[in-house]
Amino acid sequence: MIRVRLERQTGTVEQRLREAITLANNAIFEAAQSRPDWKGMACVLTAAVIEDSVVTIGHVGDSRLYSIKRGRIVKITHDHSPVGEREDSGELTEAQAMQHPPQ
């Protein structure tokens, strides 16, 4: 679903990526309505689209994007979760957040 929307060359890369994520989330949400054990499911995604030497990042949920360059790892995005929010506020270090049980 995401690939199909990104390949349709209408709108900017950012618009296509936002639409692709929205479509995926809506499909997951609709599927979850028919299964009680899937209740509350939604899209968790981090994607990078490279077009014309420009990288556009789409990100939602409790996933992260890192850049690895010359042996150095740098976090690019922040996860959208209670634990991620605690990390962003300085309450937890990144290492503590990675070991923290899900909330």
Side-chain angles (χ1 to χ4, degrees):
M1 181 175 290
I2 291 170
R3 181 179 48 82
V4 168
R5 176 57 191 109
L6 291 174
E7 288 176 347
R8 198 175 71 226
Q9 297 291 313
T10 57
T12 66
V13 175
E14 184 178 330
Q15 290 167 334
R16 294 192 332 256
L17 192 51
R18 283 181 186 271
E19 259 184 51
I21 292 169
T22 300
L23 290 168
N25 186 63
N26 290 346
I28 292 167
F29 181 79
E30 286 176 28
Q33 299 307 302
S34 64
R35 303 261 318 253
D37 54 325
W38 290 359
K39 184 178 170 110
M41 287 183 70
C43 184
V44 175
L45 169 75
T46 299
V49 177
I50 304 170
E51 191 171 284
D52 299 326
S53 300
V54 175
V55 178
T56 304
I57 298 168
H59 169 72
V60 64
D62 59 351
S63 60
R64 300 167 180 213
L65 177 69
Y66 292 87
S67 169
I68 303 172
K69 190 175 187 179
R70 294 186 197 100
R72 190 164 168 250
I73 301 173
V74 177
K75 183 169 53 171
I76 304 296
T77 64
H78 300 270
D79 73 54
H80 305 133
S81 70
V83 173
E85 289 172 11
R86 290 178 63 194
E87 179 188 348
D88 292 343
S89 73
E91 187 178 334
L92 296 173
T93 67
E94 182 176 5
Q96 290 170 324
M98 297 302 286
Q99 297 298 317
H100 199 280
Q103 291 183 341

